[in-house]
Amino acid sequence: MFIHRIHLLLLLMILPCLTIAAPPVQRIIALSPHVTELAYAAGLGSKMIAVSDHSDYPPQAQSLPKVANYKGIKIEKVLILKPDLVITWPDGNPPRELQKLQQMGVQTYPSQIHQLSDIADNIEALSQYADNPEIGLENARQFRQQLAALRQRYQHTRKVRFFYQLSEKPIITIARNSWPSEVFEFCGGENVFKESAAPYPQVSREQVLLAQPEVIFNSHHAIKNMDMWSDWSRIPAVRQHHVWTLHSDWLNRPTPRTIRAIKEICQYLDTARQNN
């Protein structure tokens, strides 16, 4: 009897320390194109059941149902699909709709990326939901490794003054600390509008002329009139034919493919250095 009481007492002491393991995550939704790409990089491809509009990479994501776009999140569609996890984009998804999902008991993971190192950090964090976390951990390791190699290669290069055009009418650019400014700075780009008070300032052609950039970057995604600077030869970039079109998905989506954007920009900046 005494021994049984001891066993009971020990059991009562241990029970509060025991935790019930959460059921594995099997059904995942991503609410932005870059979040979709990060999820696949983390090894979650087989668990994806829905994504946002324009989630076109990797290709297998294109056939999944779409439950979000620039207008917002289709809450009813999300709930009907009964996800175990929704990967959100707090900087882009409407806060009120994200709050609704949480109030309805939907488990969410907020993917926040403000600098290059956050890409690998997000992949590592998401890999915890994969059946094989090593896939995500390896992809994160490779990203950091490639980033370190590029940093070592370009850390002592001459600065090149650039202007990055996000749109045509109105002309919008980026300031310091706004994505993807770090991508340009990585290999020696110096943003001519880096000191602007607004993160994405609106500028005029005359302001670009006064700034005298050595390079102008744009993209087919944002600019319809690719010849809009052709008659502004007083701008060094135009005069020296340093107006280049970038692959917008590589640059504007913070994912492992950002490495490709860095390499592309670095090659163009190297060309500008050689021509000056």
Side-chain angles (χ1 to χ4, degrees), residues 43-153:
L44 303 177
S46 63
K47 300 185 178 188
M48 301 299 295
I49 60 170
V51 294
S52 68
D53 284 3
H54 306 296
S55 290
D56 52 10
Y57 190 89
Q60 53 264 44
Q62 297 178 26
S63 60
L64 294 175
K66 307 300 186 291
V67 295
N69 54 36
Y70 73 95
K71 294 180 180 179
I73 304 167
K74 300 171 184 177
I75 301 287
E76 291 185 3
K77 282 192 174 182
V78 171
L79 296 176
I80 289 172
L81 290 169
K82 298 181 179 179
D84 300 318
L85 178 70
V86 175
I87 310 172
T88 67
W89 179 32
D91 291 338
N93 299 139
R96 188 172 297 179
E97 294 179 2
L98 293 180
Q99 188 177 16
K100 279 185 181 180
L101 287 177
Q102 293 171 347
Q103 290 173 345
M104 293 176 179
V106 177
Q107 181 183 358
T108 62
Y109 172 87
S111 175
Q112 294 181 306
I113 297 181
H114 301 122
Q115 54 189 12
L116 287 168
S117 59
D118 293 338
I119 294 173
D121 292 345
N122 269 247
I123 293 172
E124 278 187 344
L126 289 169
S127 70
Q128 68 179 302
Y129 302 109
D131 293 335
N132 181 9
E134 289 301 319
I135 295 173
L137 296 177
E138 175 60 19
N139 284 332
R141 186 193 67 79
Q142 288 185 13
F143 182 84
R144 290 194 180 103
Q145 190 177 54
Q146 293 177 76
L147 207 59
L150 287 166
R151 180 177 286 111
Q152 184 175 8
R153 177 179 175 182

Side-chain angles (χ1 to χ4, degrees), residues 16-42:
C17 301
L18 297 177
T19 57
I20 299 174
V25 169
Q26 297 296 338
R27 299 174 60 80
I28 300 176
I29 291 175
L31 295 183
S32 80
H34 86 270
V35 165
T36 299
E37 195 168 333
L38 290 174
Y40 276 89

